[in-house]
Amino acid sequence: MTLTRLSELVGVSVVNLSILKNDRARAIRYSTLSAICRALDCEIGDLLVRAD
């Protein structure tokens, strides 16, 4: 799925999705994370990893 299509489904700008994708985000709203998971048919844990 392209960032453009995901942006349309989630209601978040392509720029903000790109920031998330490239690990430059400092935070993410739960509602945004939840919307991304609905669009991708996945769980939150599938998207998040712990970095030490």
Side-chain angles (χ1 to χ4, degrees):
M1 180 181 300
T2 65
L3 282 181
T4 302
R5 179 65 180 139
L6 185 60
S7 170
E8 292 167 355
L9 293 172
V10 176
V12 174
S13 73
V14 174
V15 172
N16 284 338
L17 287 177
S18 181
I19 288 168
L20 290 170
K21 177 183 158 228
N22 293 313
D23 264 348
R24 294 190 316 242
R26 293 184 186 197
I28 183 171
R29 291 176 187 248
Y30 180 79
S31 59
T32 301
L33 188 56
S34 182
I36 291 169
C37 286
R38 277 194 306 277
L40 297 177
D41 192 29
C42 67
E43 299 292 324
I44 292 174
D46 296 332
L47 301 178
L48 299 178
V49 294
R50 181 177 170 200
D52 292 323

